[in-house]
Each structure stands twice: as C-alpha cells, then as structure tokens.
Amino acid sequence: MTSLNIASLLHYGIWRCIGYLAFSRIRVIGKERLTLVGPVVFVATHRNGALDAAPYSFAVPLAMPMVSAQLQRLPLGRFLFRGIAVARAKDKARGIKANNGKALAECIELLKVGGQLFIMPEGTSSLGCRHLPFNRGAARIVARAMAAGVRPIIQPLAVHYEDPTHWQSRVEVLIGVPIIPQNADEIAIHQSITDGLEAVGANFVDTEAQQMAEKLAYARILGADLSYAEHLKKLEGLITPGLSESLRALEAVAKDKGLFLHQGLPLMPLRLWQSDLIKWLLLAPIIACFSILNFPVLAAGHIASQLLPDEPNVISFWRMVVGLPVGLFWVVAVCVGLFVCAGPSWFVLYGAISTVGLLAWYRFRKLTVALGNAVFHPEVRAVLVTAYRNLAERKAHE
C-alpha cells in the first residue's frame, strides 16, 4: 500500500469518527455507479460548510480533495483538511495566498498516476434552494489532463441532509452516472459537469418549494427504509396540487393544535403507541445519563451553534469546531478520573452510556415527538394517520 493510500485511509478514519459524532446515519445511494479505479475526478455539490467532508470521505475515502487555503492556515486545519490547497477570489481578498498554478499541476500529476481527485466546483457552500454557480476549475483540470494524454472519468456526487443544522440528523450521498469526456474542450466538459451535478443535486424554484419538497420527502420515508435523496429528487419539479394540499392540511392541524414537530412534521405512532412508550421508557434514563455526564460538551456545541454562525450552512461546522476539542478534552479527563479514582468498571460504564446515548439520540427525539402528540393530542391521531397515508399514496407529479 502506498503512502498516499495510507494517508487517505487515516484521513478517512478521522472523518469517519467525526461523521459518527455529527450524524445519526451516513448512507451512500447508488454505490453500483461508483468508479473506484483509474484516474477519476469526483465533482460534488457543496451544502453544509466544511462538514460536507464527513459524508463525502465516507463515499470516496481515497480521493484527494482540493481545499480552500483558508482551511490550512492552522496546524489543526492542515491535519483535518488535507488536500491540494487553492486560494479562491474571496481568500485572496482576505490576504490568504496559495500557488494555484502549482496546485493545478499537482492535480494533473495525480491523475497521470491513476489517482482520484475530489472537487466541489461551487467553491463555497449554501443551503439555498438551488446550487451556486459552478466554477470552471474542475473542467480546466480535466481538459489539461486530457491534453497531457490522460482520460479521467468524471463522477458527479451530491450530498443531501435531512436536517442540516441539527445535531445527529441523517445524510445521504447520491452517486451520479459517470461522465466520459470525449475531447479536451473545456467549455463542453464544464457543461457536462454542470448537467451531471444538476442530475444528482436537488434544485427548486424558490425556498418555499424547497421546504415543501424536503417535508414531503421526509414524510414519504417515515417508517420505511427508503432513500431521502431519491424521494427529494422526485419532488424537484412542479408538485401536484393534491400533494401540496395534503401537506398544508397536515401543517394546519399541527399549528392549530400546537403539535410537536420533528423536521417540520407532526409525528404520530401509526400502530399502538404503547409499544413506543416502552421503548421511550427504556431509552429515557440512558439519554438522561448521557446528557448529564456529557453536559459541558453538549452545552459548548449548542452555544457555538447559536452564537458563531453567520449563515445556516455553517451552523453544524461551528458546532463541530467547538464541540470536538471540548469533547476530546472532557472525555479524556472523565475517563482518566474514573479509571484512577473509581476503577475500570466505572470507566467502562461511562463509555457504554455515552456510546448508547449517542446511537439512540436521533431515535429518542423522534419517539419523544410522536409520543408527545399521541399522549397530549390523541384527538388528532386519526387525522394525522389519514394525512400521512394520503401523502404516501399520491404521486409527486401529474
């Protein structure tokens, strides 16, 4: 195994741990389309700040990313955000420098030896209703590589977050169809990259349409092992009046009755809620112990997510930036203290509670919302169950 692959796997391990801490589940959709041999340029949408690295490194762990030079200014940044550094226009405006010509040459050399390159052509992230303009840097690299005798495959990827600003939400990476460029025409290659990314990303006419599609996609996967990303893509176009009316009726009931919401929807157990109550009662003491034992970490991450971000797309990033070092310090301190003062059994117990609490957090939130509605608003159960069944049966488009 080459030193490059070892470094890639180490980087993958670090970001896999970060992904485990940040998200309830990371899933790759369309693995059968993934190209893992030969020179490959992975092009990807950019949604949730630097935290996009977690799901993407899970999908393509051996790819060498192009990164903003601002992320490598500090030693910790260089450790977490390995890659070929480039200075964007806004980086240069802030006085952050990088040798972009040298970076371009490094990318081409990597492709010459059959390596994998990872690029987010938007250059910056946004949680808006559609993608930002794609820069032509990726197309330029592919065109120059082809002029040098290399024929890389272009693979589009898109990341889709169910609830991007909340801790322990779920995320999927949708793999697109590989693109084989026919010639070194930079303009044609850029257009094919744009088409490929639009085929896997989700784009809407406005924020209202985006929010409606996100809620409908979530409603359709409730209680089933279905892909959120694929259902979101089906809702890109004009949503049928029947489907939008069903969602609005559901939202009207939730607002009128003051129902509890999860990802914008009022959940309700579809079967006997007593079985869900038993699960909740089993998880509640574990979640309570987890929260108390790790309160400084949870509080630090929450406060950072409220005070530091200037845009929604960096809320999760700031939670990670503050929560990760605080959490590392806290866990080490608690583990050493318990091991020395109380014995190894308490050390093991703390680790078990923290692990189970982390794994159960997402499920516990959903159970709490659903049971809260079932217990405090039983009169709307029939209405909600009927509404969700109507949403599941209706088609996305006419």
Side-chain angles (χ1 to χ4, degrees), residues 276-328:
D276 285 339
L277 178 60
I278 293 173
K279 296 175 185 176
W280 188 91
L281 290 173
L282 291 173
L283 290 176
I286 298 175
I287 295 295
C289 290
F290 167 76
S291 301
I292 293 169
L293 290 171
N294 296 284
F295 177 76
V297 184
L298 298 176
H302 176 72
I303 293 171
S305 70
Q306 297 298 309
L307 298 182
L308 299 179
D310 54 0
E311 294 289 343
N313 61 300
V314 291
I315 289 176
S316 294
F317 169 73
W318 280 111
R319 184 186 295 117
M320 179 198 72
V321 167
V322 174
L324 192 62
V326 171
L328 183 60

Side-chain angles (χ1 to χ4, degrees), residues 74-149:
L74 300 175
L76 180 60
R78 290 192 291 273
F79 176 72
L80 289 175
F81 302 103
R82 76 172 185 101
I84 301 172
V86 292
R88 304 166 298 177
K90 65 179 184 180
D91 294 331
K92 294 176 182 177
R94 298 171 185 166
I96 302 171
K97 298 179 180 179
N99 190 333
N100 288 356
K102 181 182 177 183
L104 179 62
E106 287 182 34
C107 292
I108 294 172
E109 287 302 315
L110 177 65
L111 295 174
K112 283 183 178 180
V113 296
Q116 302 173 4
L117 187 63
F118 178 86
I119 305 172
M120 291 185 280
E122 288 164 282
T124 190
S125 66
S126 169
L127 292 172
C129 59
R130 61 179 298 107
H131 66 77
L132 299 173
F134 296 122
N135 297 315
R136 286 172 57 171
R140 186 170 301 115
I141 290 170
V142 173
R144 294 194 183 182
M146 293 183 71

Side-chain angles (χ1 to χ4, degrees), residues 3 22 44 65 88 91 93 133 179 186 207 230 260 272 350 369 387:
S3 59
R88 304 166 298 177
D91 294 331
I179 301 167
E186 184 179 317
T207 301
E230 290 180 335
F260 303 109
L272 292 176
Y350 169 74
V369 170

Side-chain angles (χ1 to χ4, degrees), residues 224-272:
D225 187 26
L226 301 173
S227 167
Y228 171 80
E230 290 180 335
H231 278 77
L232 189 63
K233 284 293 295 177
K234 292 177 182 178
L235 295 160
E236 260 188 316
L238 181 64
I239 298 172
T240 62
L243 200 56
S244 59
E245 288 170 8
S246 295
L247 178 62
R248 289 194 180 97
L250 193 64
E251 292 175 326
V253 172
K255 183 177 181 180
D256 181 58
K257 298 293 183 178
L259 302 183
F260 303 109
L261 304 179
H262 184 264
Q263 294 179 196
L265 294 180
L267 305 186
M268 177 70 71
L270 296 180
R271 296 174 291 277
L272 292 176

